[in-house]
Amino acid sequence: MTDPLSQMVGLLRPEPDIAKRVVAGGTWRVTRADAGRPFYGAILEGRCRLDVAGCAPIVLEAGDFILVPAARAFAVSSLEPPPADAPTAHVETSPGLFQLGPEHAEPDIRMLVGHCAFASDAAGLLVSLLPHRVHVRGEPRLIALVELVNDETRSDRPGREAILGRLLEVLLIEALRSAAGPSASAGLLRGLHDDHLATALRCIHDRPAQAWTVAALAREAALSRSAFFDRFQRAVGVAPMAYVTGWRMALAKAFLRREGITVAEAAGRVGYSSASTFSVAFTRHVGTPPALYARGA
């Protein structure tokens, strides 16, 4: 049966952007507003402070990994940050290595940081089902993966782009499954932690063309209809049929743009009995008729 998390990350299509090593000392702050670009980092030595818009500040320390799937505004700083109007020196001392803070300050933190991009046209929908912030402590596999991404980014070896794409997929899956659990924010990860809901989610992802109803999904989950509906909405953050529709449209976008199939074929693959019914639903959901969307209009 399909693994929803792997399928979602594959559909997001992470692409490499920036990866660098950073050392810092004294008081310093780096502020970014990246219009929803994913940000990740690994602390190798020392401690720092992370402020992400909409989340409480946290202290990161050696062995920590952080992922912000859509970092709209955030700041990384020393534990005691400088005044808001004080500039921070930012010097590239060698290719891919940056030093932050006063020129003669002794470095007290080393970290790996990076940005990537999601090439999927459905990235907004998919990211909305992920946590705003993933913080994992003491997981060496994540640190090793970030180091591999950083090393490959600076290389000029054959197959570099393909390797980076696969490494980023593995990094995201490893990070997200490390964050799954009952305490995760509403979304896919919390739903997959619930055995009953996980069964229903796998059915949706495995058989998107099936004529799903709340009652049919409740039977798969071995719950009553009302219990399933309430439990799904609380855990995943959307109603079951809204999730079904959203997932079908994310798949349809990929089919139309990446596979070049006809509207009628896309309709059949995602559970619509006719091209016209699918076109109405797609246009309502996406804002563009599927035929125009397929041509990139």
Side-chain angles (χ1 to χ4, degrees), residues 94-222:
S94 62
L97 176 62
F98 290 79
Q99 182 167 346
L100 305 177
E103 181 180 359
H104 300 295
E106 186 70 24
D108 54 17
I109 183 170
R110 289 194 310 120
M111 53 189 163
L112 300 170
V113 298
H115 296 267
C116 62
F118 293 141
S120 171
D121 290 331
L125 166 69
L126 300 175
V127 168
S128 73
L129 296 169
L130 300 178
H132 297 305
R133 182 181 70 194
V134 174
H135 177 208
V136 182
R137 180 154 282 168
E139 181 47 73
R141 285 158 57 97
L142 282 168
I143 307 299
L145 283 166
V146 176
E147 289 182 320
L148 284 171
V149 170
N150 189 275
D151 179 65
E152 193 66 32
T153 299
R154 300 197 315 278
S155 75
D156 192 23
R157 292 175 289 214
R160 173 180 174 275
E161 296 303 312
I163 290 291
L164 277 172
R166 299 300 181 273
L167 282 173
L168 285 169
E169 285 190 7
V170 174
L171 176 64
L172 288 172
I173 291 170
E174 185 69 34
L176 292 169
R177 72 182 183 182
S178 296
S183 61
S185 57
L188 179 64
L189 300 183
R190 188 166 161 191
L192 289 175
H193 186 75
D194 182 313
D195 289 341
H196 294 276
L197 300 184
T199 299
L201 285 163
R202 292 189 185 101
C203 287
I204 294 168
H205 283 249
D206 196 46
R207 305 195 298 275
Q210 188 157 326
W212 292 116
T213 63
V214 174
L217 289 169
R219 284 194 296 274
E220 296 286 353

